[in-house]
Amino acid sequence: MTAPFTSLATFRDILAAAPGPNDGATTGATDRNAQLTKPPGALGRLEDLAIWYAGWRGTDRPSIDAPQVIIFAGNHGVCAQGVSAFPPEVTVQMVANFQHGGAAINQLSKAFGATLDVHALDLDTPTADFTQSPAMTEEDVIAALTTGWDAVNLASDLLVVGEMGIGNTTSAAAIGHALYGGAAADWAGRGTGVDDAGLARKTDVVARAVALHDTTDPLEVLRCLGGRELAAMAGAIAAARHHSIPVILDGFICTAAAATLAAAQPGALDHAVAGHLSAEGAHQRLLDALGKSPLLSLGLRLGEGSGGALAIGILKGAVACHSGMATFAEAGVAAG
């Protein structure tokens, strides 16, 4: 598909015009849930998840048959500030690992029946160092948003987006600080494992970057402080909403990218659930700001969509119970 926007202004219009869930399907799923062979509320949050999913898919008895995982990779000019424990060359090397099936996300995608697509975005041309200038021009950010939008398979019925990009926890921290305030130290974490000196540099970088740029427009925050892979994730999440495909958010970096959409258009993430709570400290702060409760909390901090992919199993279980269980009438069981 071709992205229906050519500027941040038209992308903002797309967000504003995005569809909501199907009320009839939501009502039907709620009614069905009340008739299933279980005590009311016995499946806890699984019941809410199934009803939420049904509303977005437009049927009271849905199934999850074609989940898609997309990994976007980008390089960051801010790495010149010494904010990462690894060099940018690792991004290229990990993309090759994804393509050859050797990463954690390959195994998790396979385990839960998801297709996996990998998109590397101009790895030979890092974004600008955002302590000096905006990370991307408008042309750059639109190109990345378009890559994300066009990467979504319209035959999919669930989407997880992930990332690879040395330095991108610094970008995510700067976005969080710009959108939600607080101190830079509230948002900067150890990422891939920087030492105390590296964490101090990273905190300083986040503070200087946010002070340099206009942070009143969330989409400008994405352009000035993001990276190509963050913008691509945002584009894919927006495309999924446009086509009523539910989304499972991954960790800190994915959530930061998604947060720019929510800040730009209230309700823009109503079609998304948080897959997990990562070990990156500021992830909880982002989820609180978005009003999202994670499905899993396993201490993961790998990125690459791994926590989101793992949560596919939770959502599949919720939908399987909802759509596959018998009602009291069908089973000949007295409802009490």
Side-chain angles (χ1 to χ4, degrees), residues 16 22 25 39 41 46 64 71 95 103 127 174 185 208 210-211 220 225 229 327 334:
N22 182 300
L46 294 186
I64 299 176
I71 305 302
V95 166
T127 53
R208 287 191 286 124
V210 172
E220 280 293 300
L225 300 172
E229 79 277 34
T327 65

Side-chain angles (χ1 to χ4, degrees), residues 11-333:
F11 181 69
R12 184 179 287 104
D13 292 341
I14 293 294
L15 295 180
N22 182 300
D23 291 340
T26 300
T27 300
T30 301
D31 292 344
R32 174 175 172 76
N33 180 63
Q35 300 171 45
L36 298 178
T37 46
K38 59 176 179 57
L43 285 176
R45 194 175 172 192
L46 294 186
E47 299 180 19
D48 296 332
L49 286 168
I51 293 167
W52 165 82
Y53 183 84
W56 284 105
R57 294 306 291 163
T59 173
D60 63 357
R61 200 167 182 173
S63 61
I64 299 176
D65 303 308
Q68 181 185 19
V69 176
I70 314 174
I71 305 302
F72 300 103
N75 273 325
H76 294 255
V78 75
C79 285
Q81 299 285 334
V83 296
S84 177
F86 292 91
E89 291 78 14
V90 171
T91 303
V92 176
Q93 294 161 3
M94 280 303 298
V95 166
N97 195 30
F98 299 145
Q99 292 170 337
H100 290 98
I105 189 58
N106 298 94
Q107 319 322 315
L108 292 168
S109 297
K110 187 184 303 182
F112 295 105
T115 60
L116 174 63
D117 298 295
V118 181
H119 294 265
L121 290 88
D122 298 328
L123 297 186
D124 293 335
T125 309
T127 53
D129 179 350
F130 56 58
T131 65
Q132 308 297 319
S133 67
M136 293 173 281
T137 65
E138 179 155 352
E139 182 181 4
D140 290 335
V141 75
I142 289 299
L145 285 164
T146 299
T147 294
W149 185 286
D150 292 348
V152 176
N153 183 349
L154 300 191
S156 65
D157 51 22
L158 181 63
L159 178 67
V160 173
V161 292
E163 43 59 44
M164 177 63 214
I166 297 302
N168 62 13
T169 57
T170 304
S171 181
I175 288 172
H177 184 30
L179 293 180
Y180 301 116
D186 296 333
W187 297 98
R190 295 190 183 273
T192 51
V194 295
D195 59 15
D196 289 347
L199 180 58
R201 285 193 299 273
K202 188 173 182 178
T203 302
D204 176 64
V205 161
V206 169
R208 287 191 286 124
V210 172
L212 178 65
H213 301 291
D214 178 4
T215 59
T216 58
D217 181 342
L219 297 183
E220 280 293 300
V221 168
L222 179 63
R223 181 180 77 85
C224 294
L225 300 172
R228 291 185 180 91
E229 79 277 34
L230 278 82
M233 286 191 289
I237 292 166
R241 174 61 174 269
H242 189 71
H243 295 286
S244 298
I245 300 171
V247 170
I248 299 178
L249 301 175
D250 191 42
F252 180 52
I253 301 154
C254 173
T255 307
T260 63
L261 302 178
Q265 177 62 47
L269 298 181
D270 287 352
H271 69 309
V273 293
H276 75 121
L277 173 64
S278 80
E280 188 72 5
H283 190 205
Q284 182 68 67
R285 187 179 294 270
L286 273 181
L287 292 177
D288 289 345
L290 293 172
K292 301 287 187 187
S293 179
L295 301 183
L296 299 168
S297 180
L298 298 172
L300 306 180
R301 57 182 182 89
L302 178 61
E304 63 188 48
S306 53
L310 193 60
I312 291 173
I314 302 294
L315 194 53
K316 274 193 164 187
V319 170
C321 287
H322 175 85
S323 296
M325 286 177 68
T327 65
F328 282 102
E330 290 166 345
V333 174

